[in-house]
Amino acid sequence: MKIRTSFPYETTRQDVRIPLSDGTRLYARVWRPRTGEPVPALLEYLPHRLTDWTAPRDWQRHPWYAGHGYASVRVDVRGHGNSEGMPGDEYSPVELRDGVEVIEWLAAQPWCSGRVGMFGISWGGCNALQIAALAPEPLEAVVTVCSSDDRYDNDVHYMGGSVLAVDMHAWAATMLASVSRPPDPLYVGDAWRDMWLWRLEAVEPLIHIWLSHQTRDSYWQHGSVCEDYGAIKAAVLAVGGWHDPYRDTVLRLVERLRHLPDDRVRALIGPWSHQYPDRGLPPGPAIGFLQETLRWWDRHLKGITAPDSASGTGGVPEEPKLRCWISDSHPPATVYEELAGRWVGEPSWPSPNVGFVSYGLGDAASQGAAQPPAQIRAPAPVLVRSPMHTGLDAGRFCPLGNDADLPPDQREEDGKSVCFDFGVERETWILGRPRVRLRLTSRAPRGQVVARLCDVAPDGASTLVTRGALNLSARRGRDKAVEWTPGTTEDLDFELNGIGHAFPPGHRIRLAVSSAYWPWIWPQPGSEAGFLLDPAGSTLELPVRAGTGEAIGTIDMISATGAIGAIGATGAIGAITFSEPEQAEPLGVVIPLTLNEQRPERLVVRDVAKGEWRLEVDALPHSRLRSSGGTRAYPDGLELTEDAVDTYTVNESDPLSARTRSDRSIRLHRPELPWDVRIDTRSEIACDATSFITSDEVVCREGDEVVFHRTWERRIPRTAG
């Protein structure tokens, strides 16, 4: 990592309050170059508290952009951080409308050229896409990182129509704790307490509304740009990582934004987790991402199309529409500092270099992980009946670069699934979204099917490559819940998450099918009965990429059931390279060292007598900042301490035993004021056959005084989940 200390422009920083038409003022921090000429503005807009939560990350990039001739602006959503107003649901119409007003305000400032770009990761990236779909006139380009085009099926709420127990619950708990934090008196003055208490009276756990919409109805359609990609007029650079749950959005955007001129859509997918690609957090390699985005801004906000030899900047050259990483085969591990592999470029998506290869499950080399790899022909239907704790080795849903984020060896999971193995005779690259077509006979009206694709080494080690899931009631569309008539047989198909991976000769491609995946997928009542899978009527289809390097030739593809023709590659592409990562000087947050014992990031506890399994997760949102209980001391005098634990419990034979709990504790302390507040929250979900039962509690203290205490209890019908 190169820390940049000198730039083409000197810069200034100023905190301002942006007025909205209803009188609300949003808190903003503006970094600007010292120049007499107006410059384009770049906006990052999200609720995550710019004066503390995202401040270290903001310092890495906003001053950097300012030093290269842009006004870079970070704004807190209303009702969050030091912004006025009341908090609401994520991506609410009010939030998006406010964002449009902010863009128009920026464009009207005397220091702005009238041209605005918008960028962000996760929530900020989603806001960039959703506001681009509203097409405010000054917004000409966006960079959206680790974001979602489909709020229902590619976010933290549902997966394949099933409730995402692992992240819907944890994220709702995180946001409940976040929105309960007060404004900072250093920045808002004595009004902070009244603003805090006013906000707290409006707080409502988001889990209530998310669980109340269990199919893809109008609630989820709002803000999902997949409803109308044509509404987006701004140039879009979409970025993701193969270890990020939002990565499929990148592939869909580069495919569906065909109404935009060719040079106004680019996509980039690396080996990364849910992080900006320049931060150097596992897995790497990191890239010079700020330089990549600067070229994007230069072209679309300044009209620079030729490189500037003096500054090293310039517009976007004639490069592949999609640049992505294909990882080499690697042994299973919960963290990789860097993955071996290579960059490839695709002229379009779907790519002419990629074709689907079909593997018939009836021709698989093995069924059931414990069986020898003897050839099995025309097998009878097999019972898939996984214990409820299948999935404990799934890893974190949204990896952040922590040491225990990624899935460990999958052999235990494979042993609780039905497995189909296919030998690899020559190196096989896959790029895109694998899919499965399965013939199932369900034994219950409700259930779920989970498919995992693994790379099995000669020594038996099983590395998870990608996975997908389908709620059986969503088999006819995510917008409806259709129960299965027990004993009947149907064919269904679904996609797995996108991936770039190289299977080497001598390895096996394994498809593992299970009927449970806790705590990712909330188990359905009756799902303990499992289902019958007919291998003779089922296939695995892999998106196989032709070529073994930058110069791509035409090769024949052979499936497990015979030849399927040839895949021709077009337009040989030169080597894809990136600059060294660089950032502005860090903020200077200090993490005190203590003698406190650090708890495990992920701990699995088994009660053998009860058949109960418990997963405990250290849930602090800041990667690798867990020491001393998450305490951080900021240069402005703030001391912030956080603690967060998520617990997932299930009995191995009872889907109705599933329950979750999240505990959050936050302390904000300014000794010089003095100011000392603490927020403690508890969130729980349990279930029976007909309902989810949620319980939430918030306790807020100023010093030793409890200033707010509220609990919520809800029973929400299980309409599809």
Side-chain angles (χ1 to χ4, degrees), residues 147-288:
S147 67
S148 173
D149 64 338
D150 185 344
R151 293 183 56 223
Y152 178 75
D153 211 34
N154 194 197
D155 207 327
V156 298
H157 312 100
Y158 292 85
M159 180 178 182
S162 289
V163 172
L164 262 174
V166 66
D167 241 49
M168 182 193 287
H169 161 74
W171 185 239
T174 296
M175 287 310 300
L176 179 62
S178 176
V179 76
S180 298
R181 303 185 194 201
D184 191 325
L186 183 66
Y187 299 101
V188 303
D190 293 338
W192 75 271
R193 198 173 191 275
D194 288 341
M195 290 174 65
W196 186 29
L197 296 178
W198 187 40
R199 272 187 205 170
L200 288 170
E201 290 300 326
V203 166
E204 184 75 15
L206 294 179
I207 195 66
H208 296 164
I209 189 169
W210 295 346
L211 274 180
S212 296
H213 297 272
Q214 292 169 33
T215 57
R216 196 177 188 281
D217 57 14
S218 60
Y219 171 77
W220 299 110
Q221 292 167 12
H222 162 75
S224 293
V225 300
C226 63
E227 294 294 309
D228 182 11
Y229 292 102
I232 297 175
K233 308 303 180 186
V236 175
L237 172 59
V239 182
W242 291 131
H243 289 92
D244 178 71
Y246 301 96
R247 57 195 185 261
D248 294 334
T249 286
V250 179
L251 297 176
R252 284 193 293 268
L253 287 173
V254 75
E255 176 182 359
R256 304 294 175 84
L257 295 178
R258 293 181 177 177
H259 63 283
L260 295 177
D262 185 67
D263 69 336
R264 292 174 65 82
V265 180
R266 289 291 184 272
L268 175 64
I269 309 180
W272 313 300
S273 61
H274 192 72
Q275 297 286 359
Y276 278 119
D278 56 288
R279 297 194 71 195
L281 293 166
I287 65 168

Side-chain angles (χ1 to χ4, degrees), residues 242-244 247 273 283 330-336 339 391-400 402-414 452-455 461-467 497 499 517 520 602:
W242 291 131
H243 289 92
D244 178 71
R247 57 195 185 261
S273 61
H330 45 274
T334 60
V335 66
Y336 306 92
L339 286 168
L392 289 178
D393 282 342
R396 191 187 290 266
F397 176 77
C398 194
L400 296 171
N402 291 306
D403 293 338
D405 276 1
L406 304 183
D409 196 316
Q410 295 291 286
R411 277 181 278 196
E412 286 196 34
E413 302 281 57
D414 294 348
R452 290 177 296 110
L453 187 68
C454 297
D455 182 345
S462 180
T463 300
L464 183 67
V465 175
T466 187
R467 57 198 147 193
N497 296 126
I499 195 65
Y517 206 56
W520 278 42
R602 298 176 70 86

Side-chain angles (χ1 to χ4, degrees), residues 75 126 129 134 192 254 258 260 299 310 318 356 427 435 484 509 588 614 631 638 690 716:
V75 178
C126 292
L129 271 184
L134 298 176
W192 75 271
V254 75
R258 293 181 177 177
L260 295 177
R299 176 158 190 156
E318 295 303 319
F356 277 90
E427 186 172 63
R435 58 194 182 209
W484 198 298
I509 298 170
R614 184 174 75 254
T631 296
L638 175 69
T690 61
I716 301 171

Side-chain angles (χ1 to χ4, degrees), residues 392-645:
L392 289 178
D393 282 342
R396 191 187 290 266
F397 176 77
C398 194
L400 296 171
N402 291 306
D403 293 338
D405 276 1
L406 304 183
D409 196 316
Q410 295 291 286
R411 277 181 278 196
E412 286 196 34
E413 302 281 57
D414 294 348
K416 292 175 279 193
S417 310
V418 171
C419 299
F420 303 88
D421 286 9
F422 304 91
V424 181
E425 295 183 0
R426 60 183 176 185
E427 186 172 63
T428 301
W429 296 4
I430 64 170
L431 179 61
R433 300 193 69 182
R435 58 194 182 209
V436 292
R437 303 183 185 277
L438 303 178
R439 181 165 295 166
L440 301 186
T441 304
S442 180
R443 306 172 83 195
R446 295 189 178 191
Q448 56 276 321
V449 55
V450 178
R452 290 177 296 110
L453 187 68
C454 297
D455 182 345
V456 182
D459 65 359
S462 180
T463 300
L464 183 67
V465 175
T466 187
R467 57 198 147 193
L470 179 67
N471 183 341
L472 296 185
S473 70
R475 67 195 182 280
R476 297 178 188 170
R478 305 293 197 267
D479 60 337
K480 57 181 70 74
V482 180
E483 290 195 345
W484 198 298
T485 302
T488 61
T489 301
E490 294 190 35
D491 293 334
L492 54 82
D493 60 85
F494 59 95
E495 291 182 309
L496 281 59
N497 296 126
I499 195 65
H501 183 84
F503 291 93
H507 282 224
R508 285 175 285 151
I509 298 170
R510 171 170 292 168
L511 177 68
V513 181
S514 64
S515 60
Y517 206 56
W518 176 260
W520 278 42
I521 302 298
W522 199 288
Q524 295 273 9
S527 61
E528 72 276 14
F531 51 79
L532 291 172
L533 188 155
D534 183 0
S538 304
T539 59
L540 164 67
E541 298 184 3
L542 295 182
V544 175
R545 186 184 190 277
T548 56
E550 290 79 20
I552 304 168
T554 299
I555 63 172
D556 292 325
M557 292 295 171
I558 306 297
S559 75
T561 55
I564 63 167
I567 301 171
T570 60
I573 295 169
I576 295 172
T577 60
F578 296 95
S579 302
E580 175 190 3
E582 68 174 50
Q583 297 171 351
E585 290 186 90
L587 175 59
V589 173
V590 175
I591 303 174
L593 295 177
T594 72
L595 297 179
N596 295 343
E597 183 178 353
Q598 184 172 304
R599 65 170 170 264
E601 289 182 34
R602 298 176 70 86
L603 176 68
V604 177
V605 180
R606 178 187 184 188
D607 187 323
V608 177
K610 291 182 179 179
E612 184 176 87
W613 296 75
R614 184 174 75 254
L615 173 64
E616 297 177 359
V617 180
D618 183 335
L620 281 180
H622 293 277
S623 167
R624 297 193 170 186
L625 291 180
R626 293 183 310 280
S627 58
S628 69
T631 296
R632 297 182 293 284
Y634 289 73
D636 66 1
L638 175 69
E639 295 176 3
L640 170 62
T641 302
E642 295 182 86
D643 195 22
V645 181

